Amino acid sequence: MGKFIVEKSEPLNGVVEISGSKNAVLPIMAAALLAHGSCEIMEAPVLRDVDVMCKLLSSIGSKVKTKYENNSIEILTDNVIAEEAPYELVKKMRASILVMGPLIARTGKAKIALPGGCAIGARPIALHLKGLRALGAEVKEGHGYVEAKADKLVGSNIYLDFPSVGATENIMMAAVLAEGVTILENAAQEPEIVDLANFLNKMGAKIKGAGTDTIKIEGVSELHGTKHTVIPDRIETGTFMVAAAITRGNILIKNVVSDHVKPVIAKLKECGVKVEDSDEGIRIIGNIRPLIATDIKTLPYPGFPTDMQSQFMSLLATVKGSSVVIENVFENRYMHIGELNRMGANIKIEGRSAVIQGENILQGTQVVSTDLRAGAALVLAGLIAEGTTEISDIYHIERGYSDFVEKFRSLGAKIVRIED
Ligand code: EPZ
């Protein structure tokens, strides 16, 4: 097990290049199961979650070649030998559930270990199953697994009670080979949904409306292989934007799609951060003026992303004034608050809201990372806390951020990784 040791650092300065999106590459890798032929995915981030997905696809029967020199992954699924995602892989990565839709579409069968909950919530999959049943799959749950089978999938009209990202992805990946047309309403609109739809359309699918709340999928008989470059990771982008703000630094972030981080840019500007968007990338200047408080409500895209809530809270703990943060997407995404308060922050949870009295001087101490983004938030707090902050359970962070320490050190952050 490793730990990060973070010392109070100078304002971050320099240039950082964003990697491919974790939450785009995982569904795209699952979608490669649908192709008769080889798929090459470029700019794939080097992450533990990507390694787990490679193992899962190999166990299903794909030949997976990772050429990390140019961050590409080649996936060839000649024949599926096991329509199963075993528990030992699913427990490492909930996103394993995303092979369910492609497996049913390709083979008519799928047996997936139930992903179970995690630190941020119960993470149910009822909407995934509702959509697959609507397409004609017979779905049974029992003994910690969900089993689905379908002789034929038939297009249907499906309304999602909540614009679930995973459910939208699973249903889309099943519907592309269904007979007839599927209309998915109240669909998730995240950029990762658009990237997946673009990948599927390159494979021969007929998807319209991805990125809006209504997606129309016209089933086709077969999909072929293709090449695709994954979009940059908007949450990694946001994390480095907040890093520049919290250290009152000045950094240029390259390989970004500024449209994908509009809500984060808007909130940083409300705090008094200067944001310069150019062809080179996005420059974040945190030392133009004293930063002030603002309020945050997390919402499905294009609202403020839940995956940026904890990182932004670290910033709000250090600026003048009081802020209110409301987490509307997950039911238990305040685990980082206890750890931030141990560092001297003044944050109170009141129902679904968190009230932050800012401007405290944070002090370094031992803290634990409870989930991927909470861990990142603690690193950000450690960069400006007096003294040393020791962050344990960093496997959460390394699941979702590639070259995390190297990128921060290149900007002047005092952070090292140690084995404990
Ligand atoms: C994806 O998770 C992301 N993961 C999450 O990123 C992200 O936080 C989340 O979308 C929201 O943007 C990947 O893409 C791999 P959801 P997902 O289904 O698909 C409820 C990170 O840090 N819900 O949109 O699991 C659910 O309980 C991770 O990178 C149901 O009620 O998210 C939650 O409250 C964390 N029934 C809400 O919807 C269902 O069937 C959002 O979940 C499915 C979901």
Side-chain angles (χ1 to χ4, degrees):
M1 297 286 274
K3 279 182 184 170
F4 286 151
I5 309 297
V6 183
E7 305 282 344
K8 183 176 172 59
S9 302
E10 292 302 309
L12 298 190
N13 260 286
V15 183
V16 64
E17 182 112 10
I18 298 299
S19 300
S21 162
K22 166 178 87 81
N23 293 348
V25 75
L26 293 173
I28 285 172
M29 289 173 74
L33 286 169
L34 293 161
H36 286 267
S38 163
C39 289
E40 186 166 1
I41 302 162
M42 278 80 82
E43 297 302 322
V46 179
L47 294 174
R48 292 198 180 169
D49 274 8
V50 170
D51 293 342
V52 173
M53 186 59 91
C54 287
K55 286 191 182 75
L56 177 55
L57 295 179
S58 302
S59 73
I60 288 171
S62 307
K63 293 186 188 68
V64 183
K65 269 193 292 189
T66 48
K67 289 178 280 187
Y68 277 144
E69 67 275 7
N70 59 356
N71 285 30
S72 79
I73 298 173
E74 199 177 324
I75 299 164
L76 173 62
T77 313
D78 270 338
N79 59 337
V80 174
I81 52 172
E83 294 86 16
E84 178 167 347
Y87 178 63
E88 60 272 10
L89 287 174
V90 174
K91 74 180 177 188
K92 284 189 187 137
M93 183 187 63
R94 302 189 62 266
S96 307
I97 193 75
L98 294 173
V99 302
M100 185 164 60
L103 274 177
I104 298 177
R106 172 102 190 232
T107 70
K109 284 189 287 186
K111 182 179 179 187
I112 316 283
L114 286 170
C118 70
I120 63 177
R123 313 296 294 273
I125 59 168
L127 295 176
H128 300 237
L129 306 185
K130 169 185 175 178
L132 296 175
R133 287 186 173 109
L135 293 171
E138 186 194 331
V139 181
K140 285 192 299 216
E141 293 174 76
H143 303 289
Y145 274 78
V146 58
E147 288 195 69
K149 56 177 187 288
D151 299 332
K152 184 171 70 168
L153 291 176
V154 179
S156 171
N157 283 15
I158 301 163
Y159 175 83
L160 288 180
D161 307 41
F162 182 89
S164 154
V165 171
T168 301
E169 291 166 342
N170 244 331
I171 294 165
M172 202 158 65
M173 291 189 283
V176 289
L177 291 180
E179 200 172 271
V181 175
T182 296
I183 306 284
L184 184 52
E185 295 186 282
N186 198 28
Q189 305 178 49
E190 275 71 3
E192 294 77 30
I193 304 287
V194 178
D195 207 27
L196 174 62
N198 289 341
F199 176 69
L200 288 164
N201 283 339
K202 282 184 189 174
M203 292 163 75
K206 291 182 180 166
I207 302 170
K208 288 195 174 68
T212 73
D213 64 359
T214 304
I215 301 177
K216 179 181 174 187
I217 302 130
E218 196 180 326
V220 296
S221 54
E222 192 175 282
L223 296 177
H224 54 74
T226 189
K227 284 178 184 269
H228 182 78
T229 299
V230 172
I231 55 172
D233 194 310
R234 64 190 168 100
I235 305 302
E236 184 187 26
T237 304
T239 303
F240 280 102
M241 292 166 87
V242 173
I246 202 169
T247 60
R248 306 322 187 246
N250 180 331
I251 69 170
L252 175 65
I253 307 172
K254 302 184 83 165
N255 190 36
V256 296
V257 177
S258 48
D259 264 3
H260 294 171
V261 286
K262 265 187 189 164
V264 181
I265 290 174
K267 284 297 166 182
L268 284 171
K269 285 182 174 175
E270 283 176 25
C271 290
V273 173
K274 188 158 192 243
V275 180
E276 292 172 348
D277 190 359
S278 70
D279 296 344
E280 261 196 309
I282 297 179
R283 180 171 292 282
I284 301 292
I285 308 167
N287 57 2
I288 291 282
R289 59 180 74 85
L291 302 185
I292 55 171
T294 187
D295 296 335
I296 301 279
K297 279 189 184 66
T298 69
L299 286 167
Y301 195 89
F304 188 92
T306 174
D307 292 349
M308 278 301 306
Q309 180 256 104
S310 50
Q311 300 93 308
F312 217 93
M313 195 179 281
S314 291
L315 171 62
L316 294 174
T318 70
V319 301
K320 187 175 171 50
S322 75
S323 311
V324 177
V325 171
I326 305 177
E327 170 56 54
N328 291 307
V329 177
F330 286 105
E331 68 269 27
N332 187 36
R333 202 165 198 172
Y334 287 147
M335 305 282 279
H336 46 288
I337 291 177
E339 298 303 292
L340 288 172
N341 284 342
R342 292 183 56 246
M343 295 177 73
N346 177 355
I347 307 171
K348 288 187 182 55
I349 298 176
E350 290 171 13
R352 287 206 73 143
S353 307
V355 181
I356 301 123
Q357 297 301 340
E359 221 174 10
N360 284 29
I361 304 293
L362 302 184
Q363 296 97 29
T365 182
Q366 289 85 5
V367 289
V368 64
S369 165
T370 49
D371 74 85
L372 166 57
R373 309 303 174 181
L378 294 172
V379 169
L380 298 181
L383 293 175
I384 45 104
E386 296 300 330
T388 303
T389 302
E390 195 178 281
I391 300 158
S392 56
D393 288 7
I394 59 168
Y395 60 91
H396 287 294
I397 303 173
E398 293 178 323
R399 281 185 42 209
Y401 287 97
S402 56
D403 301 326
F404 186 81
V405 171
E406 295 74 13
K407 285 174 179 168
F408 270 100
R409 288 175 65 84
S410 74
L411 296 171
K414 291 179 187 158
I415 177 172
V416 292
R417 183 188 194 285
I418 61 164
E419 284 302 326
D420 68 353

